Amino acid sequence: MDKEYPEALQIEVTNRCNFNCQMCIRRVWNAKPMDLNMDLYKRIAKSAFPHIKRLILYGLGEPLINPNIIEMIRVARERMPKDGEIMMSTNGSLLRPKLAEKMLRLGVDNISFSIDTADIAKLKYIREGSEPTAILRNFRHIAKMKRRSNGSFKLGIEAVIMKSNFMDLPDLVEEVSNEDVDYILVSHVIPYTRQIFQNAVYITLSRRPFEIVRPTLNYGRRLMLEAIYETFCKIYGVNIETKASKMIEEFWSEAERSGYWINLPLLFESMDKIAIIEDVEYIFGVSRKIAYERDIELKLPNLYPDAKDRRCPYVERATAVVRSDGLVTPCLEFTYGHTVYVNAHMKSVNPVILGDLKNGDIGEIWSGENYVMLREARRRMPDNIPWCGDCPYSASKCFFTETNNMDCYTNGPGCSECLYSVNLAQCNI
């Protein structure tokens, strides 16, 4: 097999961070804190950088913590094609003027700040350990540099929205629009715990089955209980009206005609989210209008998934991930072991390792049989990968949803509950 290369590498230059954000994966993982070794980075740069179009210098840590970050940028610019793009996402706390000037002089093309709200008190709570005034000061300095350079680089904002801050989005768009921001990437929170799930503002049942069953939501769980009661009455010859059973049968038939299933247990657990989804839609609409008027690209997530419209962003953008220890994984979600609460159950996500750059080449790893098969299956996700959000078994301790080892179509690793694939969560790659 001929050796091929990814279009982009997302390199985690460190998995350490100086914050302890409320929704962060590091609250549930057991990873060894480390920075990417400079010698290993140079080895990767020599073999990989001449072949890639984009270099994304961040992972699950704050990239500016790595003391070699300036040298890493310099090496990247020397090794990459002239039109290659260097991207970085930062919490902004360490991006002081002198460091920012060095980075931009060396050729960083795209910098995004993690700012979830313009409300200083909320931001300080969400980004635990942060000093919001310092972050905003650094952000405004970068914005001034962008204006002085006539827009020689892109400046972005990344915001994670939850019940506690979604209503702040229009103010955030308004505030940063005064600073020549090019884009705002909005993502829903990944629920690494049940507590985080309770703060989320989306559901994982596809929109079409949700619309079919919506007229019956006032019944709540009583609908299922009455249907069970009616079934037992029928078994024992008791003659009663089977109203609940008929309702369930009718909307199941309609969903199946549309090519969907209906996950009633999950729907009833998500009633509090359903109650505010219209408010979130309204806030999205207001934010979209402001962004349009200010000429900002606003990248909003979905509020519902669609089992028939799924795609892997890492496969679509031909991107591989390199951990801070040199191990190669297919996406950021599979870099380290962690828990996630999704579809009314707790899941253990195990790391998926496809190679090691300490003794391998990214082209060989990318062209390896396991990596090629993984990408091929995910090019047609609706055909090849199930969506557990619509399946009632996912909320009933289904064996295949306990881990990401395998889904019920026998794909391994399993991506059947990936929030990125349905654009509920977004990544800046």
Side-chain angles (χ1 to χ4, degrees), residues 4 9 29 33 43 81 133 142 152 236 257 265 292 316 350 384 393 402 423:
E4 297 181 357
L9 274 185
W29 75 3
R43 173 190 169 95
T133 53
I142 288 275
S152 62
Y236 290 104
R257 285 194 296 271
Y292 176 78
E316 284 224 317
N350 297 312
N384 298 329
Y393 298 116
E402 292 178 358
N423 198 41

Side-chain angles (χ1 to χ4, degrees), residues 187-237:
S187 177
H188 288 295
V189 68
I190 300 288
Y192 297 116
T193 65
R194 184 166 188 168
Q195 182 181 6
I196 297 174
F197 165 78
Q198 290 167 346
N199 201 16
V201 290
Y202 57 87
I203 63 173
T204 50
L205 182 77
S206 290
R207 183 160 199 158
R208 178 58 184 143
F210 170 71
E211 289 173 344
I212 290 170
V213 78
R214 194 170 198 162
T216 68
L217 290 182
N218 289 337
Y219 286 87
R221 293 184 182 273
R222 183 164 54 91
L223 183 67
M224 290 195 299
L225 295 174
E226 288 183 6
I228 293 169
Y229 172 74
E230 291 168 7
T231 301
F232 275 102
C233 287
K234 188 175 180 181
I235 290 171
Y236 290 104

